[in-house]
Amino acid sequence: MSEQTTLVATLTEMPTAETLRALAPVVDVLEVRADLLGDVDPAPLRDAFPGRLLYTLRSRAEGGAYESGRRQRRERIIAQAPAYDLIDLETARDLHREVLAAVPEAKRIVSWHGPAEHLSGLKERFAALATTPARFHKMIPTARRSGNDVDTMAVLRDWPRRDDDSQPVIFAGGPIGTWTRLVAPRLGSALTYAAVGSQPGAPGQLTLRRLVRDYGLPELRPATSLFGIVGNPVLHSLSPRLHNGAYREHGVGGLYVPFHVESFGDFWLDVVESGAFESLGLPLAGLSVTSPHKEVALAVSGVSSPRAQHISAANTLVLDADGVWEAETTDPEGVTGSLLEVLGDGDLQGRHAAVVGCGGAGKAAAYGLKLAGAEVTLVNRGEERGRRASDELSMPFVPLAVWDPGSAAIIVHATALGHGEDDPLPFAIEPVADDALVVDLVYHRWRPTRLLSELRERGVTGVDGRDVLLHQALGQYRLMTGKTFDPELARGLLDLGDEEAVV
């Protein structure tokens, strides 16, 4: 039987009774963020939720919203202590004799949230924190760069298990540290936090629904290897849902996590080549790579396929039996496969296609379209990058400023625009022909992008980036595991349903 973690569901807005009842099968602790919600009446929460209640008054200094005086803070905590099963006490503010007298040891989560430090500093900080008797000792350093995250996990790995009932809660905060939230329970971190609604309780915190759907929590399946997706942004990615779901189906002992990486060089040197994952007992075996790191991923590989070399980019890195990182790209199949699915009995031969964006994803899309027989034009805002891609791929280039979107039967959008809510459209859509096919490589988890929505309102056929993801993931999975990923299984995993649901 697999082990389980203790899930803590963070409330940043008041839930309905129906929402609370939905939590019960998977959640053990309900965290009331009083710095965001105020001091709510816990009685209705207890009526609908059978688990433990945790009171947290997170200070502004430690990433929360509370910023009044310390006396008022102590008074609030003391007043609420009898009504809650657990109380979060910040080491810098709450270890006052009156507070400690009001909060029994069995109720205490003694915590610290702050900027990451060197490993030795983190170990000293946690050792000092753990001197206060408590049920849980919680340390969350915010990872500012790659390397801070693995240092945090090293503290958890090396912390000696004590004979008393105290348990450590250690993971790295911030987007860079998100993957540690998924690995930490396997190293002995006692609590795993998740947001009930769409507003996270802290940067890098995932929703409860994603922890359950994408990672299988609270169950901790045995894992002997680590896989992941590297990008910026990356926390929106559906790749963990696909790969982890296939691992469960095929009995693969893997865990696939998101790596938010701002500097691929730092990540490669300080995390991958440092042997950090091996030291944690989860050796890294394969990586999916997304924007903007595909070209650098090719550069760090030891061996690369001819087509990855041809487009100067890779979306897949796999560690072979000799310890050499092999680079490949499955992006061409992502675009051509999704287009051929829409066309049914048709093909791409002789169709005029335009690829907007000349980064790694754009070049891969253009390469795949050309191999399928399409006549491809490259389009880019920056002329230098566009002309460089044109030379590499031997394809014509047109600057975005003078390109006519009405001239193409197929348009592939391959820039980063569309991830942000306020991003402008990547190109003018009014000239797009009514019978054109438009592929958007950008996707949102549970709704179309603005580009696809506005095109579809006009009756233009749009291919969602989630369909592209599915087709490129089939080849990636085979490269990483040696197993075949059934397309129907993949479609079932991407049947998102109501992504606003709780679990």
Side-chain angles (χ1 to χ4, degrees):
M1 181 176 178
S2 298
E3 296 182 359
Q4 289 197 334
T5 186
T6 297
L7 281 182
V8 180
T10 299
L11 293 181
T12 57
E13 55 188 25
M14 282 305 294
T16 65
E18 181 181 5
T19 294
L20 290 172
R21 284 191 288 270
L23 301 176
V26 296
V27 172
D28 298 289
V29 180
L30 190 66
E31 180 185 33
V32 177
R33 282 291 298 272
D35 56 306
L36 301 172
L37 297 173
D39 290 336
V40 303
D41 180 2
L45 302 179
R46 289 200 181 277
D47 288 342
F49 177 74
R52 291 173 288 176
L53 298 185
L54 161 62
Y55 180 86
T56 298
L57 190 62
R58 183 70 61 232
S59 68
R60 180 79 67 183
E62 298 204 14
Y66 184 81
E67 52 187 353
S68 296
R70 295 197 180 191
R71 175 167 293 280
Q72 296 96 315
R73 178 182 177 85
R74 290 199 298 269
E75 291 172 352
R76 285 181 64 175
I77 291 173
I78 291 169
Q80 295 298 319
Y84 284 83
D85 305 292
L86 295 167
I87 306 290
D88 188 292
L89 302 178
E90 295 180 0
T91 55
R93 288 157 199 87
D94 302 329
L95 303 187
H96 188 276
R97 63 181 182 279
E98 294 178 359
V99 175
L100 295 177
V103 181
E105 179 180 335
K107 283 190 175 188
R108 298 175 193 163
I109 300 180
V110 175
S111 70
W112 175 86
H113 304 72
E117 306 169 272
H118 188 270
L119 177 58
S120 60
L122 290 176
K123 287 186 174 183
E124 290 175 4
R125 183 175 292 279
F126 191 71
L129 182 152
T131 60
T132 300
R135 181 72 182 86
F136 301 99
H137 294 99
K138 178 184 178 187
M139 182 178 72
I140 317 298
T142 299
R144 302 296 186 190
R145 61 181 298 275
S146 294
N148 294 156
D149 41 5
V150 293
D151 282 348
T152 303
M153 288 296 90
V155 177
L156 180 60
R157 177 199 64 202
D158 296 341
W159 183 249
R161 298 302 177 258
R162 294 166 30 166
D163 294 332
D164 58 22
D165 291 333
S166 173
Q167 296 184 60
V169 179
I170 304 174
F171 53 84
I176 292 173
T178 295
W179 70 268
T180 69
R181 294 173 177 267
L182 304 162
V183 169
R186 300 169 184 276
L187 300 178
S189 186
L191 304 176
T192 302
Y193 288 70
V196 173
S198 58
Q199 180 185 352
Q205 186 182 68
L206 299 174
T207 66
L208 178 62
R209 179 173 176 81
R210 290 182 64 183
L211 286 188
V212 174
R213 290 286 303 275
D214 296 8
Y215 302 99
L217 271 61
E219 182 183 7
L220 298 174
R221 292 182 61 254
T224 55
S225 298
L226 194 65
F227 302 84
I229 179 166
V230 179
N232 181 12
V234 75
L235 299 188
H236 71 287
S237 176
L238 285 163
S239 290
R241 179 175 296 187
L242 282 171
H243 288 261
N244 287 322
Y247 296 163
R248 291 192 294 270
E249 181 72 17
H250 296 148
V252 174
L255 174 65
Y256 187 104
V257 300
F259 294 110
H260 175 95
V261 170
E262 297 181 1
S263 166
F264 195 92
D266 288 348
F267 172 74
W268 197 255
L269 291 173
D270 297 337
V271 179
V272 178
E273 291 195 339
S274 69
F277 295 118
E278 289 80 0
S279 74
L280 297 177
L282 279 172
L284 190 64
L287 291 170
S288 307
V289 184
T290 189
S291 178
H293 302 307
K294 296 184 180 186
E295 292 168 322
V296 185
L298 179 69
V300 302
S301 67
V303 178
S304 54
S305 72
R307 64 179 188 169
Q309 293 176 28
H310 186 72
I311 64 172
S312 302
N315 80 334
T316 309
L317 292 170
V318 178
L319 190 65
D320 70 12
D322 296 321
V324 176
W325 284 96
E326 299 181 348
E328 180 57 281
T329 179
T330 64
D331 279 336
E333 291 88 350
V335 173
T336 58
S338 56
L339 279 169
L340 290 172
E341 188 174 40
V342 172
L343 290 169
D345 295 333
D347 58 36
L348 299 173
Q349 188 69 39
R351 295 177 185 261
H352 183 199
V355 177
V356 182
C358 291
K363 290 189 292 185
Y367 177 74
L369 288 166
K370 184 177 181 178
L371 287 181
E375 298 177 1
V376 185
T377 298
L378 300 173
V379 181
N380 202 65
R381 183 180 301 278
E383 292 195 30
E384 181 180 353
R385 187 173 202 178
R387 296 194 187 282
R388 185 167 64 248
S390 174
D391 292 340
E392 291 175 2
L393 300 177
S394 299
M395 296 178 187
F397 164 70
V398 177
L400 179 64
V402 298
W403 172 61
D404 175 16
S407 63
I410 296 170
I411 301 173
V412 178
H413 169 228
T415 81
L417 289 175
H419 286 294
E421 294 293 332
D422 300 323
D423 285 358
L425 291 173
F427 53 84
I429 64 172
E430 292 79 7
V432 175
D434 291 342
D435 59 352
L437 293 174
V438 179
V439 182
D440 194 352
L441 300 190
V442 174
Y443 66 84
H444 297 303
R445 289 182 63 88
W446 56 275
R447 60 177 172 79
T449 60
R450 178 188 168 196
L451 175 64
L452 289 192
S453 294
E454 295 194 12
L455 285 168
R456 287 170 177 173
E457 286 178 5
R458 283 188 41 207
V460 177
T461 300
V463 179
D464 196 291
R466 291 172 291 188
D467 295 311
V468 178
L469 170 68
L470 184 151
H471 284 277
Q472 62 89 8
L474 302 179
Q476 261 188 358
Y477 186 78
R478 177 180 52 79
L479 290 167
M480 290 182 181
T481 68
K483 298 180 181 294
T484 299
F485 198 162
D486 180 7
E488 292 309 308
L489 170 61
R491 290 186 200 290
L493 292 168
L494 285 182
D495 180 16
L496 304 179
D498 180 9
E499 281 296 299
E500 293 185 307
V502 177
V503 292

